[in-house]
Amino acid sequence: MIDVLVVDDDFRVAEINAKYVGKVPGFRVAARAHSAAQALTAVERGGIDLVLLDHYLPDRTGLDLVHRMREQGHHTDVIMITAAGDVTTVQQAMRLGALHYLVKPFTFAALRARLDSYAALRRTVDRVGGRGLTGQEQVDRIFGALRTAPAPSAPGLPSGHSEPTTDLICGVLHRADHPLSAHEVADRTGLSRSTAQRYLRHLEQAGRLRLSLKYGDTGRPEHRYAWVAP
């Protein structure tokens, strides 16, 4: 098994990412961290093979953390998972040895493709290293193991919708003990009301939510959404 440390300052995003990791055969979540300090402590304890690392952390950036890890002699592998998509950050991640860089929002398929290629890299290194071969063909095989095919879009999701956000909204409604309005869903997820409304409309049309109307004394009725048990 490949033991993974999931690092994200948002507890809900960390939980979603951890669930994604748990779906990929051969991987398991060894720990979660919500700051660079927590992540460094987890790495120092040992037993971590791979860090899924957000860049925007409350105490220092993810790249600062990677630099600190390398200074201390920790060679734990890193895959960046972050909303930071600027060229400078991407270049710095490459120079610090990040094996992949996944920009939020992303789908489960996109993350799985990176994890599968990482597992393939480990298998290739083990095979080549076991034979003590260092020729160009073996080097090409190692570097080639990191290549990933373009991940397909999540089935059933319209353009502009992400699987993590969908999962976040579904989780809120699944745990709710009564129907929620778009405003209430936005408050509980941290999303804007318009974004919540857009996802709720799609999920209701897909049959995953039930729509009801709450009539007040005046004005238009309020749309409320409830989870539909499978």
Side-chain angles (χ1 to χ4, degrees), residues 12-36:
R12 294 165 297 187
V13 174
E15 180 65 22
I16 291 171
N17 291 349
K19 288 181 179 179
Y20 280 178
V21 171
K23 292 180 181 180
V24 182
F27 290 83
R28 65 186 174 194
V29 176
R32 298 177 182 83
H34 308 292
S35 68

Side-chain angles (χ1 to χ4, degrees), residues 92-105:
Q92 290 176 347
M94 292 174 62
R95 290 165 181 159
L96 287 170
L99 297 178
H100 278 300
Y101 196 107
L102 191 56
V103 179
K104 297 176 181 179

Side-chain angles (χ1 to χ4, degrees), residues 1 16 26 41 55 61 78 80 82 84 91 134-135 137 156 158 177-178 195 197-199 203 208 212 227:
M1 295 293 288
I16 291 171
T41 298
H55 182 58
T61 68
V78 174
M80 299 296 296
T82 176
Q91 286 179 329
T134 57
E137 180 182 350
D177 56 5
H178 62 274
T195 297
Q197 183 65 63
R198 181 159 48 89
Y199 277 81
L203 291 167
R208 299 175 67 180
S212 60
W227 179 255

Side-chain angles (χ1 to χ4, degrees), residues 73-162:
H74 301 297
H75 302 294
T76 309
D77 293 322
V78 174
I79 293 178
M80 299 296 296
I81 298 183
T82 176
D86 59 284
V87 175
T88 300
T89 304
V90 174
Q91 286 179 329
Q92 290 176 347
M94 292 174 62
R95 290 165 181 159
L96 287 170
L99 297 178
H100 278 300
Y101 196 107
L102 191 56
V103 179
K104 297 176 181 179
F106 58 90
T107 64
F108 167 64
L111 177 58
R112 176 164 188 168
R114 273 73 181 175
L115 294 179
D116 285 342
S117 74
Y118 173 72
L121 171 66
R122 288 172 62 99
R123 291 192 299 268
T124 302
V125 170
D126 287 343
R127 286 197 303 268
V128 173
R131 294 197 299 266
L133 301 176
T134 57
Q136 187 62 53
E137 180 182 350
Q138 287 71 39
V139 172
D140 290 343
R141 194 173 300 166
I142 292 173
F143 276 86
L146 280 175
R147 295 178 187 144
T148 59
S153 299
L157 286 182
S159 176
H161 286 60
S162 74

